[in-house]
Amino acid sequence: MIKFIGSIILILCGIICGFEKSLKYIKHIEFLKDYFEFLMDLKNQINYSQCSIFNVMNKFKTRKFLGKYFEKFERIVKVKSFEFAWELSFENIRKTFDLSGEEELFILSFAKNFGKTDVKGQINYIDYNLDTIKFYMNSALETKKKKQ
C-alpha cells in the first residue's frame, strides 16, 4: 500500500513539474507576443499619426504582460531620463518571463537608440526590433514544441 501511494505521489509531482515548465514557456511566448504587438502599434502610430510613445504605452497598460512595466516606466520617467526609466522598468523581466540573457539585453537596450533620429530612422529601428523579436518568438515556439 505504501509503495502504491508513493508511486502516485511521484507521478503527481512529475505532472505538476511538467505543467509548471509548460506555463513558463507559455508566459515567455506571450510576453514576446505582447512586446511585438507594442512595437507594431508604435510603428503604426509613428508612421501615420506621429503620436508619442506615451500614447501607445497607455493603450498597453491593460495588457497582462506589459501593463505593470509601462506603469512603472511612466512613474520613473517623470524624474529620470527615458533610457534610464526604460531600463529600471524592465530590470527583472528575465526571471519573470524566463527570458534568455540575450532577449533581456535586447529589450533593455531598446531605449538607447529610440527617438534619436528622424521618423524614418525610428521606423527602421522599430523594424529591426520587430525582426529580432520575431526571431526570439520563433525560437521560443520551437523550444516549447521540442520539450512537449
Side-chain angles (χ1 to χ4, degrees):
M1 182 69 170
I2 293 177
K3 288 182 181 179
F4 177 72
I5 292 173
S7 299
I8 296 296
I9 290 173
L10 189 63
I11 291 169
L12 286 175
C13 286
I15 290 171
I16 291 170
C17 288
F19 183 70
E20 187 177 318
K21 191 67 174 168
S22 179
L23 284 178
K24 278 186 176 184
Y25 289 128
I26 290 169
K27 271 177 73 173
H28 181 177
I29 293 165
E30 291 299 316
F31 172 79
L32 292 174
K33 282 182 183 177
D34 252 12
Y35 190 71
F36 182 84
E37 289 174 15
F38 161 70
L39 291 173
M40 284 295 296
D41 198 36
L42 181 61
K43 177 184 173 182
N44 289 335
Q45 293 298 327
I46 290 172
N47 244 343
Y48 301 112
S49 68
Q50 297 180 354
C51 73
S52 76
I53 190 171
F54 302 106
N55 293 344
V56 177
M57 288 174 130
N58 279 332
K59 285 194 231 174
F60 280 81
K61 280 187 188 174
T62 58
R63 293 291 182 100
K64 182 178 180 180
F65 299 105
L66 286 177
K68 70 178 185 177
Y69 296 99
F70 287 164
E71 286 176 4
K72 186 177 178 182
F73 173 82
E74 190 175 59
R75 285 191 310 273
I76 297 170
V77 81
K78 291 176 182 174
V79 292
K80 300 287 184 183
S81 71
F82 181 86
E83 184 179 337
F84 188 72
W86 186 269
E87 288 177 8
L88 273 179
S89 300
F90 287 93
E91 68 185 344
N92 59 355
I93 58 168
R94 185 175 187 179
K95 289 180 185 175
T96 307
F97 298 108
D98 201 32
L99 300 178
S100 70
E102 186 180 333
E103 291 168 332
E104 178 189 37
L105 286 174
F106 185 76
I107 291 168
L108 289 175
S109 69
F110 173 76
K112 287 183 181 167
N113 294 316
F114 184 73
K116 301 207 169 142
T117 61
D118 62 349
V119 172
K120 187 173 179 142
Q122 290 184 49
I123 298 299
N124 289 337
Y125 183 64
I126 292 171
D127 283 337
Y128 164 72
N129 277 265
L130 285 168
D131 290 342
T132 306
I133 291 297
K134 198 181 302 182
F135 170 77
Y136 291 146
M137 281 189 330
N138 289 335
S139 295
L141 286 168
E142 285 178 28
T143 302
K144 183 180 177 235
K145 286 179 185 175
K146 286 179 186 175
K147 302 289 181 175
Q148 283 183 338

